[in-house]
Amino acid sequence: YSAFREDIRKEITMQRLREVEVDNKIQISDAEVDAFLAAHTGAADAPQQELNLAQILIRVPENPTQQQLAESKKRADDVLARLQAGGDFAKLAAAYSDSPDGLAGGDLGWRAKDRLPQLFLDATANLQPGQVSQLVRSGNGFHILKLVGKRAQSVMRGGSEGAAQPAM
């Protein structure tokens, strides 16, 4: 207990020292913020595409045998067939997905395209919102992706935060 208290005391001391010696001396001007936004978005007003995806992951063990791979693929094919027959994606994700987000209907949330694996982007490139991809094989297993929505995110200038605008 005393060692724990001493560790906490040291952490608090370091945090206060950091606040006094580092954080208070950092000053970022509006011009620096504008330059950063322009450099990282290509142009400050250029919209960035965001996707809202949901997934069902059928996990494959590391170094799977042919039988394990075949069983996982069959399970993924069965789930995909249920989806194509009109099954509810969220319910099937909760029941079959090996991903931690499965219980939340497989929802991955809104993400910029540069924060998604290229594999997912390729699989959803030609989908319309509400459509489901074919099986996607990754190192983790077989993914079934649903494109929930698309939107363009634009960075607003003049001191307001970035606001998302739905794509029509």
Side-chain angles (χ1 to χ4, degrees):
Y1 182 74
S2 62
F4 175 72
R5 286 179 54 118
E6 187 60 30
D7 285 345
I8 296 295
R9 186 182 324 273
K10 286 179 183 178
E11 285 183 36
I12 292 172
T13 303
M14 290 301 294
Q15 181 180 0
R16 288 182 181 162
L17 178 64
R18 189 178 314 117
E19 287 172 358
V20 170
E21 293 299 321
V22 179
D23 293 349
N24 289 337
K25 294 178 182 176
I26 296 174
Q27 294 184 3
I28 302 171
S29 70
D30 289 340
E32 289 173 315
V33 171
D34 290 341
F36 175 83
L37 290 175
H40 286 85
T41 60
D45 296 325
Q48 181 178 2
Q49 186 79 25
E50 286 187 328
L51 301 177
N52 187 358
L53 298 179
Q55 77 164 335
I56 296 174
L57 170 64
I58 306 300
R59 195 170 300 281
V60 173
E62 277 190 48
N63 303 319
T65 63
Q66 290 291 6
Q67 181 181 356
Q68 290 172 319
L69 192 60
E71 288 172 0
S72 294
K73 182 159 181 355
K74 181 181 182 327
R75 185 172 167 216
D77 284 335
D78 290 345
V79 173
L80 184 59
R82 289 181 184 206
L83 285 168
Q84 291 171 338
D88 181 73
F89 192 93
K91 289 179 182 176
L92 289 170
Y96 294 101
S97 183
D98 295 325
S99 177
D101 49 46
L103 292 177
D107 185 27
L108 298 176
W110 287 102
R111 296 196 183 167
K113 282 187 169 185
D114 61 355
R115 292 187 53 222
L116 289 167
Q118 188 61 43
L119 199 60
F120 286 13
L121 295 176
D122 294 343
T124 59
N126 297 323
L127 296 181
Q128 296 300 316
Q131 291 182 322
V132 176
S133 72
Q134 295 300 313
L135 287 183
V136 177
R137 175 77 163 99
S138 77
N140 291 329
F142 295 97
H143 301 264
I144 302 170
L145 302 169
K146 178 180 180 181
L147 179 61
V148 179
K150 290 182 183 182
R151 69 182 179 190
Q153 178 184 19
S154 63
V155 178
M156 306 295 270
R157 299 192 86 154
S160 65
E161 296 179 14
Q165 303 296 326
M168 297 286 165

